[in-house]
Structure formats: C-alpha cells, structure tokens
Amino acid sequence: MKWSEFFVTGEPLIYAADVAIVLTMVGIVFVLTYFKKWKWLWNEWLTTVDHKKIGVMYIICAVLMLFRGGVDALLMRAQLTAPNMKFLDAQHYNEIFTTHGTIMILFMAMPFIIGLMNIVVPLQIGARDVAFPYLNALSFWLFFFGALLFNISFVIGGSPDAGWTAYFPLAGNEFSHGVGNNYYAVALQISGIGTLMTGINFLVTILKMRAPGMTLMRMPMFTWTILITCVLIIFAFPVLTVALALMTFDRIFGTQFFTMANGGMSMLWANLFWIWGHPEVYIVILPSFGIFSEVVSTFAQKRLFGYKAMVGSIVGIAFLSFIVWVHHFFTMGAGPAVNSAFSITTMAIAIPTGVKIFNWLFTIRKGKIRFTTAMLWSLAFIPNFVIGGVTGVMLAMAAADYQYHNSYFLIAHFHYVLIAGTVFACFAGLHYWYPKMFGHILNERLGKWTFWLFMIGFNICFFPMYFLGLMGMTRRMYTYSADLGWTPLNVVATVGAALMGIGFIVLCYNIYYSARYGERDMTGDPWNGRTLEWATASPPVHYNFPVTPVVEDLDAYWVMKKKYGGFQVKEEDLKPIHMPSNSGRPFWMSVAFFVAGFGLVFKWFALAIVGALFIVLGLILRSFEDDDGYYIPVDEIKRMERAARKGA
Amino acid sequence: MGEAAHRYDGTLPLEYRTQESRLNILGFWIFLGAEVALFATLFATYLVLFQRTGSGPTAGELFEVKDVLIETLLLLTSSFTCGLAIFEMRRGRLAGLLAWLLVTLLLGAGFITFEIREFIHYVHEGATMQTSAFLSSFFVLVGTHGAHVSLGIGWMILIIIQLLQRGFTPKTARKVFIVSLYWHFLDVVWIFIFTLVYLLGMVI
Ligand code: HEM
Ligand SMILES: [Cu+2]
C-alpha cells in the first residue's frame, strides 16, 4: 500500500463525503463541548451496562446504517434508471452494491433486531438486566467499532467490491488487490464476535432469569423467537468466524484455502459462507415474526392464536435453516441428487412459515382491531411477505433456478422477504416500543405517512424487478443498453426507491417532532399491552421492576390487569436491589479491537500487535476485577418509584 | 442480577453457590457449544482440503510420529491432573489444588513446546502454511487448538495468582471450575485432531 493510496481520491462524491464527515465530527465535538456533555456521554452511555441504554444505542446505529445503506441503494437506482448512464462507473457500482448488502444485513438489520431484543427481552421476562451486563456492553461496542471500521473503508483505502457474499476467487488476492476486502474480513469478524456473545448472553438470560411462574410455555412470543435466534447465532456465527479467519489468512498471510492454485477450493468459501448465511437470514426474520406476533395480538386485542403451533414452527424453521444452504448455488454443479435434496428441504420451510401466517390471520379474525402504525406495518407484512415467500419457493426448484439464478428475480425475492419481513418488523417494533424506550409516543399521523409512502414505494420499486429478472436482467450489472427494453420498468423501480427515501425522511422528522411535541406516556402502558414490559414505567427505572413480578399465565400483564387491576407493588415488599456497576473497559477494549483490525487491514503488523496487547490487557484487568456491583437501598427505590409513577 | 445474585446456598459445591456463578457456568457451557461449532468447521475444512496437496508434501510424507505421540501424552495427562485439581478443590484443599494446577500448566506448556518444535520442523522441510491447501488447513486447525491451549495457560496463571491472593471464595472456585471445563474441552478436541489429522494422514 502506497501512502498516496491511503485516502480514496478521484470521485467528487467521495470528496463530498470527506467534507461531510469532517464537518459532522467537528460539529459533534463542538456540541458536546459547548453544552459540557462529555462527562454525561461517558457516564450515561459509553460506560453503561444497562440493557435498555445499550438497546437504544444499537437502534441509533441501526438507523444511521439504514441511512448509509439507503443512500447506497438510491445511488444504484439512480445509475440504473436509464440505459448507458455515466453516473457511477463499474468499479464504483461494485463497491456500492457490496457495501449496501453488507451494511444492510450486518449493520442495519442485525443491530436493529438486537437493539429491540436488548430493550424488550429482560422486561418481558421480568428480569432486572441480562445475565452478563458487562459482556453485553462489550458486544455492543464490538459491533459499533466493527461497523465503524467497515464504514471508513470508503474514504480510507477503498471499499470492498466483491459483493456481500465475497465469493472467491474474485475476493482473493489474485483478483482483488486493494485493502477493500481486508476490511470486509476484519470488520465483520470484530462485530461477529460481539454478536456471538450476545447470543450466549441472551440464551442464558432467557433460560435462567425468567420471573417466577413464567414457564417456557408462558413466555411471550417475542422472547421465544429470541431464544431460538440465540441458538441459531451460537451455531451459525462460529462458522462465519472461521470463514472470515480463513479469508483473512488467504488475503493477508498468503495461505491457499480458496485460491486457484496449490489445491485451494473456491467453492469451499461459498459453502462456508452460506452455512452461516442462511441461518443468518433466519436470525433476522425469526425475531421479526416475534415482533409481529406481539403487535398483532395487542392490537387485535386477542390472545395469539395457536401459540404452541407458533413455537413448534419456529423450532422447525430454525432446524431447517441449517440444511438448505446449497440453494444459493444450485448452479455450482453438484448434480441432481444433491440439488434435489436441498430443493426439498428449502421448500419444506414454507410449511412452518405457512402455519405462522395462518396463525396471525386467525389472531386477527374477529379481533377488535386498532389500526395503529405498528399494526399497519404488521398487517402489510402478511401479503408482502407471502409474495416474497412464494417467489422463494419458485427459486427453490433447482431446475427452474438455473433460469432465475442471480437475476433481478432474485433481487426482488430477497428484498421482499428482507424488507417486508425484517424492515417492516423493525418499524413496527420501533413504533410499538418507542414509548417504552423514550417515554413518548411517535406521532401516529406522521407514522402513517411513513407507512404508506414506504410500503407503496417498496412495491413500486421491487415488484417490477421480478419482471426485469424474467426479461433477463442480471444482478450486479452496472448498466445496460437501450434496445434490451428494460428501461420503463427500471424507471418505475427508481421512482419507488425515491418514495421509500421520502418515507424514511418523514420517519426521521417524526422522531424529531415527537421528541418535541409528542404525546408523553404517563401510564407505562399506552397500547393496553399484554406482556410484562408494559407493567413498568415508560421509560423504566434502571432496575426495571421494584419487585419481581409473579407470572400466572401467558400474557402475564393482561392477566394481572384483569385480576388485580395492574402490577401491584407494596412498599413493604421492597428489598434492596443488586445492580451491576458501569465499566469503561468494554469501550476501550473495543477501540483496541478497532486499532488491531485497522493494522491488519493495512498489514501494519506493529499496529495490530499494539492493539492486540491492549485487548489482552483488558482481559487481564477484567479477570482481576473484584467488583460485585452495588445495592440500591429501599428508600432510594421508594423515591424513584414515586417519581416514575407520578403520572399514573 | 436480582437479589438472588448473592443468595448463598450452602448445600452445593462452592463454585455453584451463587446465582451469578451458576449463570457463568451455564454461559460457559454454551460458549463451549459455540466452540464445538467452530472446531467442527475447521475439521470440515481440513477434511475437504487434506488431499489437495498441490505441489507440496502429503500428510503421510510429512507427519512426525514421535513428536505427536509425546504431545498427545502430555495433553492427556494434563487433563487428568486438571481433574485432580478439581478433586482437591472439592475437598477444600488449597495447596493440593494449586499443586495440581501447576502440574497441569507445566504439562500444557510442554505440549506447546513440542507443538512449536513440530511446526518449526515442518517449516524447515519447506512445508509452510502457504505451500498448499492441505498445509494451510493443517496449520490453521492445529494452530487454532494450540492457540487455545496457550490462552488456557495464561488464564490458569491468572487464576493461580488470584487463588494465592484470595484463597477459596465462590468466585475463585467458579473460575477454577470453568478453566477446567475449558481444559478438558481442549483435550477432547485434541483427540479428534490426533485421529482425524495425524492417524488418518498416516494411513491414507
Ligand atoms: C431501502 C430500499 C432498498 C433499495 C432501493 C435497495 C436496492 C438494491 C439494489 C439496487 C441492489 C443491487 C442490485 C444489483 O445491482 O445487483 C441491492 C442489493 C442488495 N440489497 Fe438492497 N435495497 C434496499 C434495501 C435493502 C435492505 C433493507 C436489505 C437487507 C436487509 C438489502 C439487502 C441487499 C443485499 C444483500 C443486496 C445484494 C448485494 C450484493 O449483490 O452483493 N437491501 N439492493
Ligand atoms: Cu438461503
């Protein structure tokens, strides 16, 4: 790497980005200094181990990444609007679809879901925090600095450009010389480690920290989906860890895993990637199913239909998700026997998924439906997701896939499941739990504007792509010629993308607007909720529950309201509450990971070793730490409870 | 963290007595589950690649039986002494615990020394990580295990220091117990390496 190549140059867009980044940083530093907020930032956020604050930080990052990935998407759509456009060149287009895909899945969808689960799961099970709060902070900061490392690639050194799947040999040294794909390997590794720890953390939390009386079959559906998602994470992410490590070895230390010569096998990468990758799509969709289940049953004001079947189908989907990965490369040439087997397992997933769809429909049936924004997203999910699912079954037919493979038909399919599934769920969850997070409701009117703009835009954007695919347009092509006849549908698609962009802007405005003028939630239970998170104040006091709630049935809080008129806390039952202490170490250890990663990307091994030494130092300090947290005395709890409940 | 975090339950072994410890131990078991997935992936990679030797040596031409046998013996013994350490801990004997931990640690260090020697030997014969897909996967699989063992040694040293400073507490007991789980796990992985890498390599 020459110094002259350190900063990316030559593109007006990049220079604009450079300026924007510098200005933003200066702006942030200025605001923090001017309002004397540095200490607040450190004490309240950077060192926090509170699951609710960590969740909020995840969501903020996810929204920022949605913005970044969305800008990438709009740039691509702009380039494809008309034939022979000169807006982006081939290389730039490659970089953009790569970062768009990677960011949307790993740095937008995942953290959004993990953010929601951080906020909601401990509350839903009546716990004070997660099992390992310190580890939870470390998970977040590893994700954060992994994402940061990935994002700086576009101004320093150059972005990865081999697709989010980074197939070899394209992603190897032979065909990708720059540091771009090193960024991919290292940044994903860092944030992946964080995700793995989250998986372990929440599995233990859900298994061991449920409130008395909450048996497994009385758990809220969202918690169920998270439980199973954690299992997926625990078995899928190590595969990614290994795959990325091997990629790193190939790219940085010259090994021969996936190379063309000396025995390397490039299809091994594709297999490892998708052995992680397919469960990964379920890692983002199962929690989404959980969110829809909560929202649908709350706003249909009915108990979820077919609870046991729901649980069974989640488990079934999770199991199947590990044995379908070959459907991503039927064209590899594995032969009819192998392809048929994977074809059948893939189609089988439609069965438990169908069960869930019918359960939601039956939950809605004869319900007293309230059409809130969260409910609209959930209702829209059902038909849109079904379109994605049906086209998925079409793709699952191996013989037919030889036609669809890597065409815009595929692009349309996976956006239909990822957007109508995960993104709709994130928006539904955001609106639904927003009062719990911040104490005020997102404006419903603006929320509905976002919904209609985004949902209609989404269909205008992606529905035509099915036909573009059937007409022969392949994915990842940066331009096309006029006589192919693809222009009209491409224009339509771009219009749809613009509508989605406008919808997103309305959402951002709504966040600002509601913070200033939004209706405050004084009750803690704005939607007449059914599960325990609504038994706390909005936002909850940092210890969540003054006394541990006792669960008598499914929909614990609903039952409490019916039987006892709410969650009753007697002051004489209060006992001192044990809470974990804050720590700055997760933060600075993750900085060390960042430094080490940066060193690796550029093969500056001295820097990498310095970073690694600090990581080891952090581990040693943690081992010797003798901090057992602290107790909140009863008087203090009484005072805080009165303050939190004064509106109720 | 509930009030339960520090509730003391005297009927269980020391390492299980606080809620926090129980959570930690379960968490570690789950972590080991993830480690199983990790090593399984490395083994799969190795088995896919081990006959793809390119222009480099094959497994049969390369492996040093003597070194590998010594390594195996050292590591298996260390797992046994680690078990003895836990046994001493359950009997409440700090000195015995420390002694057996120390033995375990030295055996582990012996294992690592021989492994490094073995690797250096291969490299001198021109068989490096970069030579062929077989060697890449060999070095990464066996090296990952070796790195785990080295980490375990460092970790045990930290725990020994803490035992010297603080003696038996629910916390130190838990740490000893967890590191022992880790150590036995690495032993199991080594058995697979011994069979699937070395024995298989010398047979085929
Ligand atoms: C918000 C509106 C979105 C638009 C307009 C959009 C548009 C696009 C376009 C134009 C492509 C590239 C097609 C090609 O040239 O191959 C693409 C690829 C992709 N998108 Fe999106 N997308 C959006 C949202 C999302 C979301 C939310 C996700 C994931 C959660 C996602 C995941 C992906 C992935 C994985 C790829 C493949 C990247 C690759 O080929 O390596 N997109 N998208
Ligand atoms: Cu798949």
Side-chain angles (χ1 to χ4, degrees), chain B residues 65-202:
Chain B
V65 192
K66 203 178 104 235
D67 278 3
V68 177
L69 279 177
I70 298 175
E71 284 161 37
T72 309
L73 212 67
L74 287 173
L75 201 66
L76 292 191
T77 318
S78 82
S79 206
F80 181 63
T81 57
C82 184
L84 291 179
I86 297 296
F87 179 67
E88 291 291 318
M89 180 170 88
R90 291 270 164 86
R91 294 206 304 175
R93 291 187 36 191
L94 186 61
L97 167 63
L98 284 168
W100 285 119
L101 275 185
L102 203 68
V103 176
T104 308
L105 205 153
L106 290 176
L107 288 169
F111 167 84
I112 289 293
T113 319
F114 274 91
E115 182 157 83
I116 292 177
R117 264 185 37 165
E118 185 199 337
F119 280 11
I120 292 178
H121 177 79
Y122 295 155
V123 171
H124 278 306
E125 292 195 348
T128 68
M129 246 175 134
Q130 288 82 8
T131 310
S132 67
F134 154 58
L135 285 166
S136 302
S137 58
F138 167 77
F139 277 110
V140 169
L141 169 59
V142 182
T144 305
H145 175 267
H148 274 72
V149 174
S150 315
L151 202 106
I153 294 174
W155 187 5
M156 255 186 218
I157 294 175
L158 296 182
I159 292 176
I160 290 179
I161 298 174
Q162 288 171 30
L163 278 171
L164 290 172
Q165 286 175 340
R166 301 171 196 170
F168 276 135
T169 67
K171 214 167 171 177
T172 49
R174 172 191 87 216
K175 289 187 181 194
V176 174
F177 186 72
I178 289 181
V179 85
S180 81
L181 290 180
Y182 182 74
W183 200 261
H184 294 310
F185 168 75
L186 293 180
D187 204 50
V188 174
V189 174
W190 180 259
I191 292 172
F192 278 94
I193 293 186
F194 185 74
T195 342
L196 291 176
V197 176
Y198 291 106
L199 284 187
L200 195 68
M202 283 181 280

